[in-house]
């Protein structure tokens, strides 16, 4: 497949670099400032060094580049809330010219699911977005395999940063601020960690799960969201005395979408440690399914993107 | 015979620790208090949420003796999950976080017990920064079966009013 990659952050960059390894060809690569197009295959390494030196992968306007020849658009620009722009417009451009779309950007699927599905219905192209939930973990394809009607609920740990902080606080008896700075030093938390520690990121993933399970109906505004910022070490100690611990748990159930710190058994399935993610699916006839793995990171998320690209072949 | 003396069948669900002699110890108080054993279903291989073995006992006794039988079982340390139509023994553990002392912890606990028809079984408080700072408390509440959600609702309401944070247990999927 000829792949157009929009977004050259950790994920977009990894998709471009790993595409050949998955038998795909990158014919367009764009960042927020410019784009490069080559029908014979973009020289990814050269484009990325150009970005390093000049701030952009190429000189072409992104809107012009979106009109070039390709089979599938990989949308990997940063997630934005509300109108989910500019990601949504990129997706629209691709679907209106009957190309497939693979999303790593959560915005369009979480905030404008119905708009996205409408565009898809009017297009010969399909939309897949495995990478938006749980990074490398094949959550959405598992739901697709079982059929959304056979999954009654989904829950899990869907933010590695928050999980790292809670598990370090528990293991070392340190307070939130201390562990947060450590996480920032390690590159596990961003300079502004709000998106992760306030539960927004996990909520977007659960909103997407809710949309997939119930064929739409949810956006971030419909989710009940609590973060972990004000969980003191003493709460984790008290939980531990009782054989429990606290994890930031997201749920998509028929009752709605909810994210918040919850008590779980400390040796239970959901009490994953570090940046690990886990998703638990309740099935109608096959009991409970647990899938865990790396929920973030460039190559990890790119592998989910490239699996979607292969599904579209 | 008056109605209060006519023996009637009752069902009691117990949970036993998996140790020799436990079943006998649980049955003796029934016989000692005028109960007539009809059947015992010892669900070996099945475990209650606490990891104990569930036992269902059918017995016959006059209605006014039944309360005495159940009390005698409890007095002997037997955990009665269900007696007649009434169920006990569901537990709910929650954490409260915030200015617990300033917001009068004993009043908080009293309010929860009063409004939620729950019994506080266990309380643990940690205030590492002293009484004036934020602290945490772990509450274990005994509730009637099926009342968990109601009790949680009441806890949430009281906590909201006092600007306390509640960390709720995950009801499903945590095993």
């Amino acid at each position: 497949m000829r792949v157009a990659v929009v977004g050259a952050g950790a994920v977009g960059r990894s998709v471009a670099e790993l595409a050949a390894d998955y038998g795909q060809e990158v014919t367009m690569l764009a960042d927020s400032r410019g784009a490069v197009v080559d029908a014979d295959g973009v020289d990814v390494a050269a484009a990325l060094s150009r970005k390093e030196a000049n701030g952009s992968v190429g000189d072409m306007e992104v809107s012009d580049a979106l009109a070039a020849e390709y089979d599938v658009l990989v949308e990997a620009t940063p997630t934005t809330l509300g109108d989910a722009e500019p990601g949504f417009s990129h997706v629209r451009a691709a679907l209106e010219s009957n190309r497939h779309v693979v999303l790593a950007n959560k915005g369009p699927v979480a905030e404008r699911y119905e708009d996205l599905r409408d565009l898809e219905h009017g297009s010969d192209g399909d939309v897949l977005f495995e990478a938006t939930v749980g990074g490398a973990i094949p959550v959405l394809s598992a739901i697709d395999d079982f059929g959304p009607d056979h999954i009654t609920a989904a829950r899990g740990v869907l933010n590695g940063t928050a999980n790292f902080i809670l598990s370090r606080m528990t293991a070392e008896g340190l307070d939130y601020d201390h562990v947060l700075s450590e996480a920032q030093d390690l590159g596990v938390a961003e300079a502004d960690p709000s998106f992760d520690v306030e539960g927004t990121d996990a909520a977007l993933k659960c909103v997407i799960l809710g949309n997939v399970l119930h064929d739409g109906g949810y956006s971030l505004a419909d989710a009940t969201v609590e973060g972990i910022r004000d969980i003191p070490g003493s709460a984790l100690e008290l939980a531990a005395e009782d054989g429990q611990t606290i994890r930031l748990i997201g749920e998509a159930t028929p009752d709605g979408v909810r994210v918040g710190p919850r008590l779980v058994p400390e040796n239970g399935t959901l009490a994953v440690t570090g940046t690990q993610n886990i998703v638990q699916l309740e099935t109608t006839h096959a009991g409970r399914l647990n899938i865990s793995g790396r929920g973030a990171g460039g190559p990890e998320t790119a592998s989910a993107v490239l699996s979607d690209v292969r599904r579209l072949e | 015979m008056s109605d209060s003396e006519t023996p009637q069948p009752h069902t009691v669900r117990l949970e036993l620790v998996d140790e020799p002699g436990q079943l006998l110890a649980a049955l003796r108080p029934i016989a000692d208090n005028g109960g007539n054993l009809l059947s015992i279903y010892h669900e070996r291989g099945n475990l209650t949420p606490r990891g104990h073995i569930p036992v269902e006992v059918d017995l016959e006794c006059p209605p006014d003796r039944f309360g005495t039988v159940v009390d005698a079982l409890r007095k002997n340390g037997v955990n009665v999950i269900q007696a007649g139509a009434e169920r006990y023994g569901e537990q709910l553990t929650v954490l409260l976080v915030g200015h617990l002392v300033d917001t009068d912890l004993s009043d908080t606990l009293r309010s929860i017990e009063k409004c939620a028809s729950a019994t506080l079984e266990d309380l643990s408080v940690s205030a590492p920064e002293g009484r004036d700072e934020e602290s945490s408390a772990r509450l274990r509440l005994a509730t009637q079966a099926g009342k968990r959600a109601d009790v949680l609702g009441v806890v949430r309401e009281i906590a909201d009013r006092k600007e306390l944070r509640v960390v709720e247990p995950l009801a499903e999927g945590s095993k």
Side-chain angles (χ1 to χ4, degrees):
Chain A
M1 297 262 259
R2 294 167 301 171
V3 181
V5 182
V6 181
V11 175
R13 184 185 294 252
S14 285
V15 170
E17 285 172 339
L18 297 175
D21 193 42
Y22 285 75
Q24 314 297 347
E25 187 178 35
V26 178
T27 55
M28 190 272 259
L29 177 61
D31 55 36
S32 54
R33 295 189 181 175
V36 52
V37 170
D38 191 332
D40 298 324
V42 169
D43 182 342
V44 173
L48 291 174
S49 343
R50 187 183 188 282
K51 181 178 170 64
E52 204 103 312
N54 305 345
S56 177
V57 292
D59 288 327
M60 202 168 177
E61 287 288 328
V62 178
S63 50
D64 293 338
L66 281 166
E69 284 295 311
Y70 58 88
D71 302 308
V72 52
L73 175 80
V74 171
E75 221 299 329
T77 62
T79 294
T80 51
L81 305 180
D83 63 4
E85 293 293 1
F88 195 85
S89 291
H90 298 157
V91 173
R92 183 197 301 273
L95 287 173
E96 282 178 350
S97 44
N98 297 315
R99 322 288 175 78
H100 298 301
V101 171
V102 171
L103 285 148
N105 174 357
K106 292 181 274 293
V109 218
E111 297 285 67
R112 297 181 69 180
Y113 189 79
E114 285 78 11
D115 293 344
L116 182 70
R117 287 303 193 197
D118 282 349
L119 280 177
E120 188 190 26
H121 284 311
S123 170
D124 290 339
D126 292 326
V127 180
L128 292 177
F129 41 91
E130 179 67 82
T132 59
V133 181
I137 310 174
V139 183
L140 300 181
S141 46
I143 292 175
D144 190 48
D145 284 350
F146 273 77
D149 292 348
H150 296 113
I151 307 286
T152 54
R155 68 180 75 83
V157 171
L158 284 161
N159 185 275
T161 305
N163 202 65
F164 176 90
I165 292 173
L166 289 174
S167 46
R168 283 289 290 170
M169 282 174 73
T170 308
E172 308 298 329
L174 298 167
D175 62 23
Y176 171 84
D177 293 319
H178 188 116
V179 175
L180 175 63
S181 341
E182 183 191 74
Q184 285 167 329
D185 289 344
L186 288 168
V188 170
E190 315 236 357
D192 176 5
S194 325
F195 209 60
D196 296 312
V197 299
E198 282 168 10
T200 316
D201 174 70
L204 287 170
K205 292 165 181 167
C206 290
V207 164
I208 295 170
L209 286 169
N211 281 332
V212 169
L213 292 176
H214 306 114
D215 196 23
Y218 299 97
S219 70
L220 187 58
D222 302 305
T224 308
V225 190
E226 286 179 78
I228 61 160
R229 238 190 243 277
D230 51 3
I231 300 294
S234 58
L236 287 157
E237 279 167 32
L238 287 178
E241 279 176 20
D242 198 36
Q244 311 205 56
T245 190
I246 301 174
R247 287 292 182 267
L248 184 67
I249 302 287
E251 296 173 281
T253 68
D255 295 333
V257 172
R258 176 178 175 188
V259 171
R262 305 289 284 274
L263 280 169
V264 296
E266 64 183 340
N267 297 316
T269 317
L270 289 174
V272 291
T273 56
T275 56
Q276 197 81 352
N277 282 24
I278 181 162
V279 175
Q280 207 166 58
L281 301 175
E282 295 291 344
T283 70
T284 46
H285 305 297
R288 183 174 293 159
L289 205 62
N290 296 304
I291 326 175
S292 65
R294 294 188 186 177
E300 290 84 351
T301 310
S303 76
V305 167
L306 289 160
S307 300
D308 272 349
V309 172
R310 192 164 53 200
R311 283 184 196 105
L312 291 165
E313 278 177 343
Chain B
M1 263 200 285
S2 73
D3 276 357
S4 66
E5 287 165 21
T6 314
Q8 286 184 350
H10 298 272
T11 302
V12 187
R13 279 183 70 81
L14 316 171
E15 57 174 18
L16 299 181
V17 180
D18 192 7
E19 280 168 16
Q22 287 292 307
L23 183 59
L24 190 60
L27 298 179
R28 194 170 290 134
I30 298 176
D32 288 352
N33 287 279
N36 179 29
L37 285 167
L38 297 175
S39 75
I40 301 154
Y41 181 48
H42 196 198
E43 298 174 39
R44 285 203 142 278
N46 234 348
L47 292 181
T48 68
R50 274 187 289 276
H52 299 166
I53 298 170
V55 179
E56 197 168 287
V57 181
D58 289 325
L59 60 100
E60 209 176 43
C61 71
D64 59 358
R65 302 283 307 166
F66 185 57
T68 320
V69 169
V70 173
D71 287 345
L73 283 168
R74 293 230 166 86
K75 226 169 271 167
N76 277 265
V78 177
N79 198 0
V80 180
I81 306 172
Q82 186 185 1
E86 210 179 349
R87 273 172 176 272
Y88 301 91
E90 251 190 58
Q91 289 179 336
L92 176 66
T93 299
V94 295
L95 295 181
L96 294 180
V97 178
H99 287 281
L100 297 173
V101 180
D102 291 353
T103 57
D104 192 349
L105 182 58
S106 31
D107 173 70
T108 306
L109 300 176
R110 261 198 314 276
S111 309
I112 292 173
E113 283 200 305
K114 200 167 133 207
C115 305
S117 54
T119 316
L120 182 67
E121 286 192 335
D122 189 34
L123 171 71
S124 194
V125 181
S126 172
E129 314 288 333
R131 295 164 55 96
D132 297 336
E133 293 300 315
E134 293 216 323
S135 46
S136 306
R138 189 186 70 242
L139 284 60
R140 192 170 75 225
L141 300 162
T143 74
Q144 290 180 0
K147 295 286 180 199
R148 251 176 88 100
D150 296 352
V151 172
L152 259 180
V154 170
V155 171
R156 228 180 276 146
E157 218 176 278
I158 293 167
D160 266 2
R161 206 163 59 223
K162 298 195 169 201
E163 293 181 12
L164 301 174
R165 179 82 185 264
V166 186
V167 180
E168 295 175 24
L170 186 69
E172 297 295 328
S174 47
K175 302 290 181 314

